[in-house]
Amino acid sequence: MLDLALLAKGFGTVLQPSHLLILVMGTIGGIIVGALPGLTATMAIALLIPFTFSMGPTAGICMLLAVYTAGIYGGGIASILIRTPGTPAAAVTVLDGYPMAQKGLAGQALGLATVGSGIGGLFSAMCLAVFAPLLAAFALRFSAPEFFALAILGLSVTVTLTGRSPLKGALSAAFGLVIAMVGLDPIGGFQRFTFGTTELAGGIAFVPMLIGLFSLSEAFRQIEIIETVERMTAKIGRVVPRVGELVVYKWTMLRACLIGITVGVMPSMGPDTAAFMSYAETKRSSDRPEDFGKGEPAGVVAAQTAENASTGGDVLPMITLGVPGDAATAVLMGALVIHNLEPGPLLFRDHADVVHMIFAALIVANLSFMVLGLLGARYFARVLNVDRRLLVPTIVLFSLVGAYALNNNPSDVWVCLIFGVIGYLMQRYDFPVSPMVLAVILGAMAESNFRRSLAMSQGDPTIFLSRPIACVILVIALLAAISAIRRQIALNRRVQAAGAE
């Protein structure tokens, strides 16, 4: 159950001047990164992890959570003003946000997007605070077979819900599983795939790998499009919406909140799926569906509210079960581990104060970007005109410095560079990166718990079927994989049919 005393203590910690200042700085940085097309919240989190070491766990976690929530919201700014999604999750906002800007309603669109995102984020943070302790208490009954089943569930949907090709998703995940095997065997302790080098004995450095995949690779990609980036021309009027405007869309926001939190809990679906589903349902239930795509404010509200409402849902399985919901929460999970906070049910038992501080930080972070977004939307919009010739070298520099700062180890810089090239090539040839990152985490979790399970049963594999919870999770994983593959194939067929027309 939610401990209100610990939650109040968490708020007291987060609202200390030093922590609040860092949280606000993270919010500003997250909005800016989210607003810049191509730069994502995942990239920003990966880039900033090394710089949190000197802050301590509380300040570092506050900053990263602020970057995460604000980055998801910030993508809508570019969608509305220049018809280019700042983040993948903001792709749906383009459909009605940009037409509103073309009608001279850019300020109204930004205001509704900001309030919708804030309400969605607050709703999901509160749901996280209420339901996470209950799920963690249930998960304390889990043993190795159940955690193996959870890892398989995460892998089963990871490979099919990212990108257009299930095969490419599967190949990406398979590559991640190979990476997870580099280093010492988790049970026997002997070296695997190290090729005789001591640098690989501890495995491939996780944070430098993330920085390369999400930050350095994006810098390489930005070099290709540096001359084609559109500049902002729309004029921004009144941003802060009137109460009457918000009341009109109260049911749209409620529906989007429920869709967002539900989708967020499902592994690897993420904010972009939540936004698409919310937009489609809002259009379907509207009395004027023909207005959508032509500047309908409800479309902006539905998309932005749902994408931020998914953030708490994405954090829920990560913090309670140690299973990240998407790439961003995988990076957040890595940050917690680096600060000696292992996500999972034991985190609630051994560090209940930290858990409730995370709840408080998420709530304050959502309030922070909503206030700053309403007050400074027109100023944040100016970042869209930043010269990419200055931005790209800065990203490269911070990526390499961050990779080195982790352990002051030159080999980490090489890891960052190598995975930067790998990430760039994967994007170029339409191989999704997220399945690989999730497979690195879930693969290690699956292997160690699989082998522990066999040790418990003296080699009898039927242990996974004889334990009811593990069996149910494995059946759900199988059904989820079949359903996701069928859905992806149907989607590809519709895209091909549309292209043929």
Side-chain angles (χ1 to χ4, degrees):
M1 295 293 291
L2 175 64
D3 190 322
L4 294 178
L6 282 177
L7 184 62
K9 183 180 177 181
F11 275 111
T13 302
V14 172
L15 294 176
Q16 290 179 9
S18 58
H19 294 157
L20 184 61
L21 176 61
I22 288 173
L23 187 144
V24 170
M25 291 173 59
T27 300
I28 294 172
I31 295 174
I32 291 173
V33 169
L36 287 168
L39 308 188
T40 65
T42 306
M43 185 212 79
I45 297 168
L47 189 60
L48 291 174
I49 286 177
F51 299 96
T52 65
F53 297 155
S54 60
M55 298 179 184
T58 300
I61 292 169
C62 283
M63 186 180 72
L64 294 178
L65 289 174
V67 169
Y68 174 47
T69 56
I72 298 296
Y73 150 71
I77 296 176
S79 295
I80 292 167
L81 296 177
I82 62 172
R83 198 174 55 183
T84 304
T87 61
V92 191
T93 307
V94 173
L95 300 177
D96 285 289
Y98 185 71
M100 286 184 69
Q102 293 296 96
K103 295 177 180 179
L105 301 174
Q108 182 187 6
L110 287 172
L112 290 173
T114 302
V115 174
S117 295
I119 290 175
L122 285 171
F123 176 83
S124 70
M126 292 174 182
C127 288
L128 176 68
V130 172
F131 294 112
L134 299 176
L135 181 58
F138 177 71
L140 284 172
R141 298 158 55 185
F142 285 16
S143 187
E146 287 76 25
F147 282 110
F148 168 74
L150 281 173
I152 295 301
L153 174 61
L155 288 170
S156 69
V157 292
T158 291
V159 299
T160 56
L161 293 176
T162 312
R164 293 184 178 179
S165 170
L167 177 60
K168 288 183 176 180
L171 290 174
S172 176
F175 184 42
L177 292 175
V178 172
I179 293 172
M181 295 176 67
V182 174
L184 297 178
D185 174 86
I187 304 298
F190 52 85
Q191 294 188 15
R192 303 181 303 188
F193 301 108
T194 60
F195 305 102
T197 61
T198 56
E199 288 82 1
L200 294 178
I204 294 176
F206 186 63
V207 174
M209 180 187 75
L210 293 176
I211 295 174
L213 286 172
F214 291 108
S215 180
L216 200 57
S217 65
E218 185 57 41
F220 295 156
R221 194 183 72 84
Q222 290 288 324
I223 294 173
E224 288 187 322
I225 61 173
I226 204 165
E227 299 293 343
T228 63
V229 177
E230 186 176 346
R231 299 209 168 221
M232 184 187 72
T233 57
K235 292 185 178 181
I236 301 174
R238 177 179 58 86
V239 174
V240 180
R242 297 185 177 93
V243 175
E245 293 178 273
L246 299 178
V247 171
V248 171
Y249 302 111
K250 60 181 182 299
W251 298 118
T252 301
M253 290 184 185
L254 177 60
R255 184 191 305 112
C257 285
L258 295 175
I259 292 174
I261 191 71
T262 303
V263 171
V265 172
M266 299 178 185
S268 79
M269 295 190 74
D272 46 351
T273 305
F276 273 105
M277 290 181 64
S278 176
Y279 183 87
E281 180 58 27
T282 301
K283 181 179 179 180
R284 186 196 65 79
S285 60
S286 173
D287 295 332
R288 302 185 308 276
E290 67 278 1
D291 291 344
F292 284 75
K294 302 176 183 177
E296 170 58 50
V300 175
V301 173
Q304 288 291 129
T305 303
E307 67 180 45
N308 272 87
S310 73
T311 55
D314 286 328
V315 172
L316 180 63
M318 182 272 287
I319 197 173
T320 57
L321 303 174
V323 178
D326 61 0
T329 49
V331 181
L332 283 172
M333 181 174 171
L336 289 172
V337 171
I338 288 172
H339 285 286
N340 297 317
L341 298 169
E342 186 72 36
L346 295 182
L347 182 66
F348 286 73
R349 189 190 69 183
D350 301 335
H351 301 282
D353 55 337
V354 174
V355 171
H356 286 77
M357 184 274 295
I358 291 174
F359 298 156
L362 269 176
I363 293 172
V364 175
N366 282 285
L367 286 171
S368 176
F369 82 68
M370 185 161 58
V371 172
L372 290 174
L374 290 174
L375 296 179
R378 55 175 46 86
Y379 303 107
F380 288 121
R382 293 179 182 175
V383 78
L384 297 174
N385 293 329
V386 169
D387 191 339
R388 296 303 172 100
R389 295 177 185 84
L390 298 176
L391 180 64
V392 171
T394 302
I395 294 173
V396 173
L397 177 62
F398 275 96
S399 298
L400 298 180
V401 169
Y404 180 77
L406 182 66
N407 297 307
N408 295 328
N409 188 349
S411 65
D412 288 346
V413 177
W414 285 107
V415 170
C416 180
L417 285 169
I418 291 170
F419 279 94
V421 173
I422 291 173
Y424 165 74
L425 293 175
M426 290 179 72
Q427 291 185 62
R428 186 177 181 86
Y429 294 102
D430 199 27
F431 280 84
V433 176
S434 297
M436 187 182 90
V437 175
L438 295 175
V440 170
I441 296 175
L442 296 176
M445 176 180 173
E447 180 192 10
S448 59
N449 284 292
F450 176 75
R451 295 174 65 179
R452 289 190 184 101
S453 299
L454 293 182
M456 290 169 57
S457 66
Q458 298 181 344
D460 183 4
T462 60
I463 186 174
F464 302 107
L465 302 178
S466 61
R467 296 175 68 99
I469 296 177
C471 183
V472 169
I473 295 174
L474 288 173
V475 170
I476 293 173
L478 178 62
L479 295 177
I482 294 173
S483 175
I485 291 173
R486 292 178 62 183
R487 184 167 58 248
Q488 191 69 57
I489 292 173
L491 176 61
N492 291 344
R493 286 175 178 172
R494 287 198 296 269
V495 171
Q496 292 174 357
E501 294 175 359

